[in-house]
Amino acid sequence: MNDYAGQHEVISENMTSQITMDLARYVQELKQERKSNFHDGRKAQQHIETCWKQLESSKRRFERDCKEADRAQQYFEKMDADINVTKADVEKARQQAQIRHQMAEDSKADYSSILQKFNQEQHEYYHTHIPNIFQKIQEMEERRIVKIGESMKTYAEVDRQVIPIIGKCLDGIVKAAESIDQKNDSQLVIEAYKSGFEPPGDIEFEDYAQPMKRTVSDNSLSNSKGEGKPELKFGGKSKGKLWPFIKKNKGATPEDFSNLPPEQRRKKLQQKVDELNKEMQKEMDQRDAITKMKDVYLKNPQMGDPASLDHKLTEVSQNIEKLRLEAQKFEAWLAEVEGRLPARSEQARRQSAMYDSQNPPAVNSCAQDRESSPDGSYTEEQSQESEVKVLATDFDDEFDDEEPLPAIGTCKALYTFEGQNEGTISVAEGETLYVIEEDKGDGWTRIRRSEDEEGYVPTSYVEVYLDKNAKGAKTYI
């Protein structure tokens, strides 16, 4: 899968270097060219509009001068026909008519010249300038299309180069999938998470017909703290159920990992011892190096002062001693656990009685009587209720077909809670749910949304309304 993903990264890198960067530059060039062409088009359009305005202006001026010339000619003829008008007035009117007529002729010539110029500009606009601009835009778009085609071909080549390797990766994935050994995988999981507990021994018959002390098997799952209450309660669903199907409570992890089952505790202690030994070896290597450097300084004082290394050497020696003591402490715990655990090669042949001889009551109280928190860590049972309520004849039914606990009230979520740990459930602010188990002092309340959705939420995140009629319910909010 890593090689397969790596080939896609190669494709991405090659596309970035050979296609994306080139296209980014080309797009910028196209934008500039398009901008230039549109600028030329707007400029040509503004020029033809200016020429049209000039033509309209000269046309109106020619029309106005013609009308003025006609009025002046009519006024002259009127004055010339009037016998009461002096000769000087007639001459004045004649000269005015000639001036107006000359102005009309000048306007006519100017209009004719501007009209001819406009027609020429208009012809160039529609037959030269605009076609050239559109031709440039068309050529630009055609180059863009060709560039896209070239990019697609480049991508095909880039992809084709890694196809053989991708084919090998896919063959490897198929081969790996076909080589899956589910039995071996299950065994690995069992080895990683097995508890190391031995099954409990048989419970002795207690004859109530004769006065005798009632006893409980040391190998049973009862709480060793509850020796004053040894009675087992049958006939009801177990609140805690048989390990590992027990309820989980929050709790801090002890330094000696005594909250874990024996096998898991052994693995944790072994891991801690290995870590301490590695750290100790590093400190010892550092001490050796400082010692050698000090010897060099003693033989060659010009290279440095040997006394300057004394403080560092002392500090490293103290660290080694601390790590050694720490390692001894964890090795003692490890030896204690391994002394109590049956040998792996003989574990299948060991009987419960043999395991009992290696497990004092302190171990029973440490490992057998645990409930675990929603985050998966085990804690000591703080309650004085040491009885284990087990339906001995219905163990499989408890595990596979457990009846849902009855609701003892309702609650409203005050805040949103993301249930990410095992045993928890997510709730949204304002959501109303059923309470099926109240807070036992560990800060967690067990709730249900539906028959298939239940889990723990922090008690401080919800407002609880318990049913007064529910069995064992307390009245509090």
Side-chain angles (χ1 to χ4, degrees):
M1 292 297 291
N2 284 335
D3 293 340
Y4 184 67
Q7 296 310 308
H8 284 84
E9 291 177 0
V10 170
I11 294 175
S12 176
E13 292 171 358
N14 290 337
M15 287 184 64
T16 300
S17 61
Q18 301 180 28
I19 299 176
T20 306
M21 297 176 63
D22 185 36
L23 284 180
R25 290 192 298 267
Y26 188 71
V27 166
Q28 293 299 324
E29 295 174 0
L30 286 182
K31 286 182 178 180
Q32 293 298 326
E33 185 176 354
R34 179 188 293 271
K35 183 178 180 180
S36 176
N37 290 330
F38 276 85
H39 176 73
D40 293 342
R42 286 193 296 271
K43 185 176 179 181
Q45 186 174 358
Q46 290 173 356
H47 178 69
I48 195 67
E49 289 176 354
T50 302
C51 291
W52 170 257
K53 290 179 181 179
Q54 291 178 353
L55 176 64
E56 287 292 316
S57 177
S58 64
K59 180 181 178 180
R60 288 194 297 271
R61 185 168 61 252
F62 172 55
E63 181 182 7
R64 185 180 64 252
D65 290 345
C66 286
K67 290 180 180 180
E68 291 292 335
D70 289 341
R71 285 197 294 269
Q73 182 63 31
Q74 292 174 3
Y75 181 73
F76 165 70
E77 292 176 355
K78 180 180 178 181
M79 294 292 287
D80 188 44
D82 191 352
I83 58 175
N84 296 321
V85 177
T86 62
K87 188 176 180 180
D89 291 335
V90 173
E91 183 63 23
K92 183 177 179 181
R94 185 180 66 80
Q95 291 178 356
Q96 189 67 27
Q98 289 179 350
I99 292 173
R100 291 296 181 182
H101 182 70
Q102 185 62 40
M103 291 177 62
E105 289 294 329
D106 294 341
S107 298
K108 180 180 178 181
D110 185 49
Y111 170 63
S112 177
S113 174
I114 293 176
L115 178 61
Q116 184 179 0
K117 181 179 179 182
F118 174 77
N119 288 333
Q120 182 180 355
E121 293 288 347
Q122 182 175 250
H123 184 273
E124 291 181 355
Y125 177 78
Y126 285 106
H127 293 83
T128 304
H129 297 315
I130 294 300
N132 288 341
I133 293 172
F134 278 110
Q135 183 64 30
K136 291 179 181 179
I137 295 175
Q138 179 180 338
E139 292 174 354
M140 179 188 68
E141 292 296 324
E142 290 172 354
R143 292 199 308 273
R144 181 184 63 82
I145 295 172
V146 171
K147 190 68 175 179
I148 292 176
E150 292 175 352
S151 300
M152 295 175 67
K153 288 172 60 179
T154 303
Y155 165 71
E157 291 299 325
V158 168
D159 211 341
R160 184 179 286 112
Q161 291 174 1
V162 300
I163 285 179
I165 304 177
I166 289 180
K168 293 181 180 179
C169 293
L170 294 176
D171 292 341
I173 293 173
V174 172
K175 184 177 179 181
E178 292 175 347
S179 66
I180 291 175
D181 184 356
Q182 66 273 18
K183 297 295 184 182
N184 184 58
D185 290 349
S186 297
Q187 193 60 36
L188 292 175
V189 173
I190 292 171
E191 288 295 326
Y193 294 103
K194 65 182 179 181
S195 66
F197 285 132
E198 285 287 341
D202 295 337
I203 298 176
E204 297 178 1
F205 175 75
E206 300 181 21
D207 190 355
Y208 288 93
Q210 298 180 9
M212 59 181 292
K213 182 179 180 181
R214 294 162 55 192
T215 61
V216 179
S217 170
D218 291 337
N219 282 339
S220 68
L221 291 178
S222 61
N223 191 335
S224 62
K225 295 180 184 177
E227 293 178 357
K229 300 178 181 179
E231 181 181 358
L232 294 177
K233 296 185 180 179
F234 294 93
K237 294 294 183 181
S238 168
K239 180 186 73 172
K241 303 191 191 69
L242 288 174
W243 192 94
F245 315 111
I246 57 180
K247 177 172 70 68
K248 299 179 177 180
N249 292 326
K250 294 288 284 184
T253 302
E255 185 183 14
D256 61 352
F257 304 108
S258 59
N259 62 314
L260 298 177
E263 180 66 20
Q264 298 298 320
R265 183 187 181 196
R266 185 194 65 77
K267 291 181 179 180
K268 286 288 187 181
L269 290 173
Q270 185 63 56
Q271 180 182 354
K272 187 67 176 179
V273 168
D274 293 341
E275 291 176 358
L276 291 172
N277 287 334
K278 287 182 180 179
E279 293 180 14
M280 194 185 310
Q281 186 60 44
K282 288 172 60 177
E283 293 292 336
M284 292 173 66
D285 292 342
Q286 186 177 0
R287 182 187 62 183
D288 294 342
I290 295 175
T291 302
K292 291 179 180 179
M293 186 179 296
K294 185 176 181 180
D295 293 341
V296 172
Y297 287 175
L298 289 172
K299 295 177 181 179
N300 301 284
Q302 68 275 11
M303 297 183 66
D305 182 13
S308 62
L309 299 175
D310 291 341
H311 176 71
K312 184 64 176 177
L313 194 59
T314 303
E315 181 181 348
V316 172
S317 299
Q318 291 175 352
N319 290 340
I320 293 174
E321 183 63 20
K322 290 179 182 178
L323 291 172
R324 187 182 63 80
L325 295 175
E326 190 77 6
Q328 288 179 353
K329 179 174 63 174
F330 279 93
E331 286 172 352
W333 287 332
L334 180 60
E336 179 185 2
V337 173
E338 290 179 340
R340 291 169 180 168
L341 279 177
R344 291 194 186 95
S345 60
E346 302 177 359
Q347 190 169 359
R349 300 190 296 271
R350 298 270 182 152
Q351 300 298 323
S352 297
M354 297 176 65
Y355 181 69
D356 294 339
S357 64
Q358 297 176 350
N359 283 270
V363 177
N364 292 334
S365 65
C366 177
Q368 292 178 347
D369 188 33
R370 295 213 170 81
E371 293 190 351
S372 51
S373 64
D375 62 359
S377 63
Y378 292 84
T379 58
E380 294 287 339
E381 175 64 57
Q382 300 299 327
S383 173
Q384 293 300 320
E385 297 180 1
S386 60
E387 298 87 3
V388 177
K389 301 176 183 178
V390 180
L391 184 59
T393 61
D394 198 22
F395 175 79
D396 290 336
D397 180 66
E398 280 196 8
F399 178 60
D400 295 328
D401 235 345
E402 180 183 357
E403 295 180 4
L405 295 174
I408 61 174
T410 60
C411 68
K412 180 179 180 182
L414 302 177
Y415 316 100
T416 299
F417 174 69
E418 299 291 341
Q420 299 178 349
N421 294 327
E422 180 184 0
T424 60
I425 184 174
S426 299
V427 296
E429 182 179 350
E431 186 176 3
T432 301
L433 308 101
Y434 293 102
V435 177
I436 58 177
E437 191 172 299
E438 58 183 318
D439 189 349
K440 300 298 183 182
D442 55 8
W444 292 86
T445 298
R446 191 175 180 183
I447 63 173
R448 177 189 296 137
R449 178 180 288 110
S450 62
E451 291 186 0
D452 297 329
E453 288 188 90
E454 64 179 50
Y456 291 88
V457 295
T459 304
S460 58
Y461 277 59
V462 294
E463 188 174 8
V464 179
Y465 307 94
L466 294 181
D467 186 357
K468 296 181 179 179
N469 297 326
K471 183 179 179 180
K474 299 178 183 178
T475 304
Y476 71 99
I477 294 180

